[in-house]
Amino acid sequence: MQLNDKLENLKQLLQEMGTVAIGFSGGVDSSFLAAAAQRVLGDNAVAVTAYSETLPDAERQEAIDVAKQIGIRHVLLHSSELVSDDFVANTAERCYFCKKKRFSDLKKWADEEQVAWVLEGSNADDKSDYRPGMRAIDELTGVRSPLLEAGLTKAEIRVLSKEWGVPTWNKPSAACLSSRVAYGLPITAERLKQIELAEAVIKQFCAGQVRVRHHDQLARIEVSPEDIPVLAAPDKAALISRELRKLGFMYVTLDLSGYRTGSMNAVLDLPDKQ
């Protein structure tokens, strides 16, 4: 199917829904979806950012700024996954419990505001990835994934976002702070704040992707390959090690494989296609 046809399908889907609340992170997908909904539905579309300890403060502010640039009404809704023992246990199903809690809260808010549909930003590429959170969406009534339904891929969303002037068109992929915590290690507000502050230290020296993976006493740093020599320089390495130890890490390591999405999933027994 041609890109223009996919875009028309998306517009038709949105038009048929009437009133929508977009689960809005300020990332590439949810920002494009919000921009499309605002174009099609105007004041009948609202972007809702569900925030908790898993969302860095800087990303919450980015969501506020992006919504303003898009011109869509924006609401902040507190929704903490840490009240769920299943989420805190941090099993391979963590994202399922997170998504179920977050979008249940979004749906409750939408019902109170008489908004017909809650939308989330999964795209067509997500069908081939390990995404237990998508199962949670399938189980909820009144929640849809229109980008996926329209068949739009991440690359196509970036192309359309650039054409429309959506500021996130070239934004790097992001994930919540809990995705940095090693499976089996309980997720706590303290560990999430450790990760947020540790990544802020690293980002002073790197322009590309940055992840600090939390393995209890050990911090494993992943950055874009071109940034590895920067962090490995003796002066930078000593400074980073010192700052991360102040945050409570006993050991600080630099992963020579560099940043790779979903690296924590390497310990899982996933099908070959994953």
Side-chain angles (χ1 to χ4, degrees):
M1 186 183 296
Q2 296 297 313
L3 180 55
N4 285 340
D5 293 331
K6 294 181 182 182
L7 181 57
E8 287 306 312
N9 285 345
L10 174 63
K11 290 178 178 179
Q12 185 174 345
L13 287 170
L14 293 169
Q15 189 68 54
E16 291 171 353
M17 291 182 209
T19 55
V20 301
I22 300 100
F24 186 74
S25 67
V28 176
D29 297 326
S30 66
S31 294
F32 173 72
L33 181 56
Q38 197 276 333
R39 286 185 173 212
V40 174
L41 298 172
D43 292 341
N44 286 326
V46 57
V48 183
T49 299
Y51 69 94
S52 72
E53 299 86 347
T54 68
L55 181 70
D57 292 340
E59 291 187 22
R60 176 167 57 170
Q61 186 57 52
E62 282 183 23
I64 293 170
D65 294 341
V66 171
K68 188 177 296 184
Q69 291 178 65
I70 290 172
I72 191 169
R73 183 164 72 93
H74 185 221
V75 172
L76 293 172
L77 177 68
H78 186 257
S79 171
S80 180
E81 305 89 340
L82 297 183
V83 301
S84 166
D85 291 340
D86 291 321
F87 174 79
V88 169
N90 195 19
T91 67
E93 293 291 283
R94 175 192 64 225
C95 291
Y96 167 84
F97 296 116
C98 171
K99 206 90 164 182
K100 195 70 174 281
K101 173 70 169 67
R102 181 172 299 174
F103 277 86
S104 292
D105 288 350
L106 280 169
K107 187 63 173 67
K108 179 181 178 182
W109 180 89
D111 288 344
E112 292 172 352
E113 297 294 320
Q114 297 184 317
V115 176
W117 292 94
V118 171
L119 311 184
E120 70 94 37
S122 293
N123 62 63
D125 295 331
D126 293 328
K127 292 189 295 184
S128 61
D129 196 3
Y130 178 63
R131 302 270 180 170
M134 292 182 67
R135 192 172 79 253
I137 296 302
D138 291 339
E139 293 173 359
L140 291 170
T141 302
V143 182
R144 293 175 67 173
S145 309
L147 300 178
L148 193 156
E149 291 181 41
L152 286 161
T153 66
K154 175 75 79 174
E156 290 171 333
I157 290 165
R158 289 189 186 278
V159 167
L160 291 170
S161 295
K162 186 177 182 180
E163 288 180 3
W164 288 7
V166 180
T168 54
W169 71 270
N170 63 344
K171 185 177 182 179
S173 298
C176 77
L177 292 171
S178 60
S179 68
R180 277 80 141 165
V181 183
Y183 287 117
L185 189 64
I187 297 171
T188 65
E190 292 74 22
R191 286 186 172 124
L192 296 172
K193 182 55 70 172
Q194 264 186 300
I195 295 167
E196 181 178 1
L197 295 176
E199 291 188 353
V201 171
I202 309 301
K203 286 176 180 177
Q204 296 177 73
F205 312 110
C206 299
Q209 286 280 20
V210 171
R211 297 288 187 273
V212 173
R213 309 295 189 182
H214 198 310
H215 297 265
D216 199 6
Q217 292 184 313
L218 183 146
R220 178 168 59 86
I221 301 167
E222 293 181 12
V223 295
S224 302
E226 60 270 22
D227 287 325
I228 289 176
V230 176
L231 300 191
D235 58 334
K236 297 291 194 306
L239 185 154
I240 291 167
S241 177
R242 184 168 60 251
E243 292 301 312
L244 268 59
R245 285 169 65 89
K246 286 180 184 177
L247 295 174
F249 291 107
M250 183 69 68
Y251 307 103
V252 180
T253 67
L254 178 59
D255 193 323
L256 299 183
S257 296
Y259 166 75
R260 56 214 184 275
T261 182
S263 72
M264 287 302 207
N265 293 338
V267 301
L268 303 179
D269 183 19
L270 298 175
D272 291 342
K273 71 174 184 176
Q274 308 295 353

